[in-house]
Amino acid sequence: MNTYEQLRKRLQDGGVKNAFQEARWMLQLAERNVTDEVELASLLEAWTCRRLAGEPFQYVVGSVEFYNIELAVGPGVLIPRPETELLVEHALQLLVDAPQDTEVLDLCTGSGAIPLALSHERPDLDYIGIDLSPEALKWAELNCAKLHPPHCHFLRGDLFAPLGQPHPRFHLITANPPYVSPDEYRKLPSEVKDFEPRLALEAKDDGLALEKRIADEARNHLLPGGWLLLEIGEMQALRIHDCLQVLGYEEIAILKDLSGRDRIAQGQYSLAREREPGGLRLGT
């Protein structure tokens, strides 16, 4: 039995659902890292044991492919999902005519997946990523150092707070915030709940707390005609649509992912609705 078959069988016998593909990926990545046969066997054994203990595959191998780039990931940061690639794809459509030096802000940036993927496709634009978690930002900085984007940097803090005064304004604000409700969080698979950071997953108010805050506060940071893109939970579309409408956004749309689930909410900040301080707020 060759090395691949041994890996596949151990993973399959251990209950790994995607054992055939994971064994192939694991072997390819290990062979990329080491050439000595003894070291290779040792690395594969360590990775296999961690995977059989339930640790996410991406943490085990230390990386994930995301929209034409490879990101380092590990404990303390959310693993970028394929669904978030839809947000990147749509953001690029909104930026297609953006002039050089256009500024883009990404909130709850985690590993830096969104701004780094955008920068890979549009290196002429300026990107800022913000996250509250120092552990997550370590991964974002690591990925930034590895990919060398020309105009991308990261800040730590609570949503817009690190930007300071006066409020800078952006052509586009993106965010993949925590949107799992407390009840949903309790039902998550152990591979997610026991390893990935709760801070990046769970939010109060049925998972809507951060999304509502971002939609509200983003109006102080969007240029007239600027866009907000939010990744959302599949059952949140109606409430997010209503929230954006109440807050005065226009061109509101809900985009579906490849599985047909509601996944991205968009809204445009209107030049006609430049509000005065104390103007339209949530709940008014």
Side-chain angles (χ1 to χ4, degrees), residues 47-226:
W47 282 1
T48 302
C49 289
R50 289 171 61 188
R51 188 69 185 102
L52 292 176
E55 191 172 354
F57 175 82
Q58 295 86 347
Y59 278 11
V60 170
V61 300
S63 67
V64 60
E65 298 288 336
F66 180 82
Y67 208 93
N68 301 324
I69 59 175
E70 183 178 327
L71 296 166
V73 293
V77 71
L78 187 74
I79 299 167
R81 267 59 171 185
E83 293 85 353
T84 306
E85 293 185 333
L86 173 65
L87 190 150
V88 173
E89 183 177 320
H90 194 62
L92 289 169
Q93 294 174 13
L94 296 176
L95 293 168
V96 69
D97 295 321
Q100 186 175 355
D101 299 329
T102 291
E103 294 186 314
V104 178
L105 174 66
D106 181 55
L107 300 172
C108 309
T109 197
S111 63
I114 293 172
L116 290 171
L118 290 173
S119 180
H120 184 264
E121 305 296 326
R122 287 295 307 271
D124 57 318
L125 308 185
D126 293 332
Y127 303 90
I128 297 175
I130 296 177
D131 204 288
L132 183 62
S133 165
E135 292 82 9
L137 281 179
K138 289 178 183 177
W139 291 103
E141 294 287 3
L142 176 62
N143 286 315
C144 193
K146 182 175 69 172
L147 295 169
H148 301 293
H151 308 291
C152 186
H153 66 280
F154 297 94
L155 303 172
R156 182 184 171 220
D158 182 21
L159 299 185
F160 299 95
L163 296 173
Q165 300 282 353
H167 296 311
R169 295 205 173 206
F170 299 86
H171 178 82
L172 172 67
I173 296 175
T174 61
N176 179 16
Y179 57 74
V180 176
S181 71
D183 183 57
E184 289 172 327
Y185 183 82
R186 288 189 289 270
K187 300 173 184 176
L188 287 175
S190 59
E191 185 175 315
V192 176
K193 186 169 58 176
D194 295 347
F195 291 93
E196 295 189 71
R198 187 169 188 168
L199 181 67
L201 290 162
E202 185 187 46
K204 297 179 180 179
D205 189 14
D206 292 329
L208 294 163
L210 267 293
E211 293 172 340
K212 287 181 175 180
R213 270 192 65 197
I214 291 169
D216 185 15
E217 296 175 22
R219 295 176 299 168
N220 288 324
H221 298 276
L222 281 169
L223 292 165

Side-chain angles (χ1 to χ4, degrees), residues 37-55:
E37 290 189 10
V38 175
E39 291 182 7
L40 178 65
S42 177
L43 180 60
L44 288 172
E45 177 62 23
W47 282 1
T48 302
C49 289
R50 289 171 61 188
R51 188 69 185 102
L52 292 176
E55 191 172 354

Side-chain angles (χ1 to χ4, degrees), residues 4-23 48 51-52:
Y4 165 75
E5 289 297 335
Q6 290 175 343
L7 275 174
R8 179 200 58 74
K9 187 176 188 309
R10 285 188 66 187
L11 293 173
Q12 193 171 19
D13 291 348
V16 175
K17 294 180 180 179
N18 194 24
F20 289 86
Q21 190 63 61
E22 286 195 17
T48 302
R51 188 69 185 102
L52 292 176

